[in-house]
Amino acid sequence: FGGDAGFIRLRMEGRRAPRENATIAPYPGGILKKISLAVIAALVLLYPVIVWLMGYAVEGRMDDTLAQIRRQAPYLTVVERHFRRGWYSSHVDVTFEAFHDVRGLLPNASGMGKLGAAPLRVTVRSVIHHGPICGMHCLGLAGIESRFIFSGPVRSALSRVYGSTDPVTIHSRLGFFGGGDATLLSPAFKDTALADGARLGWGGLVATFTYSRDYDSIALLATAPRAMLTGMDGKRLEIT
C-alpha cells in the first residue's frame, strides 16, 4: 500500500486512549481567592454609598406613611415635619395635633380644665438607622427608635406617674420591599397618687405588630399584665 499505510498508521496512533497515569492540570486556586477578595473589597467600598442611598428610600417610605395616616385618620393633623438625613443615620421629628374641637366632641370637656381647652399635641421623635444592616439584630431598609413627647398639661399629668421616663417608645423595622414590624413599649409604674386623690397603677404594656406592604394585613400581639384605679371613695377597679 506504500504511502497510504503510513497515513493510516498515523491516524490510528492519534486515536490511542490516554495513559492511565495521565493527570489534568488543576484549576489555579489563587484566581478564586483573588476574585473573592476583590468582591469583598468592592462591597466594603460600596457599602457607605448603599447606606447613604437608603436614607432617600427611608424618607420616601415615611412620606408614604404620613400620607396613609392623613387618609385614614382625618382627625390627625401634621403640624410640623423635620427630616435631617445623615450618612449612616437620620433624624425626623413629626408633630401631630388631634381633636382640635375637644369641647365640641366631649360634652363634659368644659370640666376638664386645661386638658379640655386645647387640642392634644404630640411630637414623635425618631432616630433612623439606615440599612441594610440596621442594628445587631436588624436587617432591612432601616431600624427606627421613636419616642413620644407630649406637650402642655398632658405632659405634666404623665410626668406625675412616669417621672422622667418616656411613657411610650416604639422600636420598628422597615422591610426592603414594604411592610415591617414594630414593638410598642410602655413601662410599668407603682400605685401613684393623682391630683384628685385617686390612685393609679400600671403593669406596663408590650405590643408587637407586623404589617404588610399596603397595610392590608396586620398581626398584633399585646401584653398588659395589670391596670388598677382606686377612686377617692376607696372603690377599686383592677384589670389583670
Side-chain angles (χ1 to χ4, degrees), residues 7 28 43 52 71 88 134 149 152 159 163 165 177 190-191 215 218-219 221:
F7 176 74
L43 291 175
W52 180 68
R71 289 193 297 268
Y88 291 95
C134 44
I149 301 175
S159 65
T165 304
F177 305 104
K190 297 181 179 180
D191 296 351
Y215 300 96
I218 299 176
L221 176 63

Side-chain angles (χ1 to χ4, degrees), residues 33-57:
K33 184 176 180 180
K34 291 179 180 179
I35 292 175
S36 300
L37 292 176
V39 171
I40 294 174
L43 291 175
V44 171
L45 292 176
L46 290 176
Y47 187 79
V49 178
I50 296 173
V51 173
W52 180 68
L53 292 175
M54 288 286 186
Y56 286 93

Side-chain angles (χ1 to χ4, degrees), residues 78-99:
V78 178
V79 180
E80 295 177 346
R81 174 191 175 279
H82 300 288
F83 192 98
R84 300 178 297 278
R85 184 172 51 256
W87 200 282
Y88 291 95
S89 62
S90 299
H91 297 76
V92 59
D93 295 341
V94 182
T95 300
F96 298 93
E97 274 191 358
F99 308 117

